[in-house]
Structures are given as structure tokens and as C-alpha cells.
Amino acid sequence: MGDNMHYFRENKKTIFLLVAPGFAFFLMAVLFPIGLSVYYALTDWSGIGGFNYIGFRNFQRVLQDRIFWHSLKNAATLALMTITIQHPIAFLFAVLIDRLGGKLEKVFKTIFFIPCVIPVMVTSKMWVNIYNSQYGLLNKVLELIGLGFLKQQWLGDPKIVLYSLVLIMMWQGFGWAVLIYYAGVKSLPEEVFEAAKIDGANRCQTLFRITIPLMQPVIAVNVIWAVISSLKQMETIYLTTNGGPGNASQFLANYLYIKAFDAYEFAYGNAISVFFVVVCLLTTVVLNRLLTRKEYY
């Protein structure tokens, strides 16, 4: 067995034949579309008819596009609020659910995961109705409890629309965050906690000195996933405000779609998509270096 493995490792032809199908698929599914986007971005194609080569004009236009940078800022705001608000709460709930045990553990685990199994279209339309300024549940409840002065046009006011959408997207993703942290908490070795209990450690000391340090790899993965998901947000934006009012709640993916398929600026949409890919790649590399450079064990 050992000789066979050594033979396969030393045989470059065999290694190439094993790797080639996967690499070919990667080329066709990932690199080729990116290359094609770069090619179209160098033209003035509207998506229909012929096109002309215009050099890097579309890329220069993206760098000067105020809406592009505003969309990127909105995605950064969503990522920041997700990491600083949603994730600490999700982590806390994951720890609490783990300590419940028995049937209650299963019940709460199911409850928190319900928003994740409902289609985004359904939850987005549900929140549009909740936020409706005329008949929406939120304004009705505020009026009922004597806080009518807080009634707002939640999706119509440029000053608050982004935060209204952030709340929707954090609610939609809360179950996933809890689930990943819960799986991480469940995988921690029981012996460590038993030893801490024997040594007299209280719950706070156990949480901050054992649970959180041991969960660092899971936290790192969850944070990276949250940031990339924030950059790629589109469905909820498209189904609720479509980036409006004006472009107050615009996000990169939705803006790209509008330019390519609504405004018939297909080449410019491809230029945005190239920058989009670069931003996602750079963000992933930087976060990987920042969050996974330490040895946790």
C-alpha cells in the first residue's frame, strides 16, 4: 500500500491526469467567465448588435462613478453591522442553546433556523409589508404602545432605508450564524470544560478564557463568510427597494444588474463586475491574513 502511494506521488503524469479534470472545470466555470467579462468591458457593447473596442474607458468610468463607491460603502456598512451586532448575539445564543440540552435545545435550534429555510422572496415581501408606512405592522405596533411619533417611511426615507434593509438581511442570516457557532461549540472537547469546573472557573471565565479562544477558527470563518455575503447582497435589495429611493440603498450586485440588463450598458456592467471580483478577492485575502495567521491550539 505504502509503495503504491509513493509511486502515485512520484508519477507526475498520474498526478496531472488526476488534477486535469478539476482544473479544466475551474477554467471553464470561473476563469473563462472572468476573462470574458474583461473582454466585454473593453468594448461599448449594449448587449445587442455589434460593438467597438474602447480601451479602458469603462474601467476609468467605474473609478469615477459615485454610485459604485456608494454601493461599496453600503456593503461595508452591512458587513460592519453584521459582525458587530448579529455575530455576538448569534454566538451568545449558540452557547445558551448548547447549555439548554434536551428537547428545548432542539426546539430553539429549529426556531432560529426557520428564517433560513424560507425563500428570500417570501421573507423580503413579508418585510416590505411590515415596513409599509400605511398599513405596516411596525407602525401599527408603535402607535399601539404610544410611540406613534417614531412612525417612519422605513423603506421610503433615504436617511433610514439602509438600516431598515440591514435589519432584514441580519434577520435572514441570523439562523446560519447561530448554526455555524452552535456546530463549533458542540465540537469543543468536554474535558477542558470539566477541568475548568474542577478548578473553580465560573461561567464568565469559562466563556471568555476557554470557549471564545477555542472558537477562534470558527469565528474567523464566520466573519469572512459574513463580509463576502455582504458584498454579494442582491436578492433582498432587488425585491424590496431595488436600490432606492434614488440610490440610497444601492448595493454592488444590484447596481451591476441594473446597468447590464435594465440600462442596456452591458459592457459597463462587465467593468463593474471585474471590479466586483477584485474587491471580493482582495477582501478575502486580507481577512484570511488577519484572522487565520495565529495558531489557536
Side-chain angles (χ1 to χ4, degrees), residues 125-148 150-152 154-155 167 171:
K125 290 301 177 188
M126 179 189 77
W127 276 97
V128 167
N129 288 329
I130 290 173
Y131 279 144
N132 189 283
S133 58
Q134 299 298 318
Y135 58 81
L137 181 64
L138 183 53
N139 279 348
K140 293 290 182 188
V141 170
L142 288 173
E143 194 172 6
L144 194 66
I145 61 177
L147 298 174
L150 291 177
K151 288 166 59 177
Q152 301 285 340
W154 301 101
L155 297 178
L167 179 63
W171 179 84

Side-chain angles (χ1 to χ4, degrees), residues 56-92:
F56 291 95
R57 203 177 302 167
N58 281 327
F59 293 109
Q60 292 171 347
R61 185 182 161 194
V62 173
L63 292 174
Q64 297 169 355
D65 190 338
R66 184 182 58 80
I67 301 172
F68 171 81
W69 293 109
H70 183 71
S71 303
L72 193 59
K73 181 185 169 188
N74 284 346
T77 302
L78 172 62
L80 185 66
M81 292 184 75
T82 302
I83 293 168
T84 56
I85 298 174
Q86 184 200 62
H87 279 237
I89 297 172
F91 183 86
L92 187 62

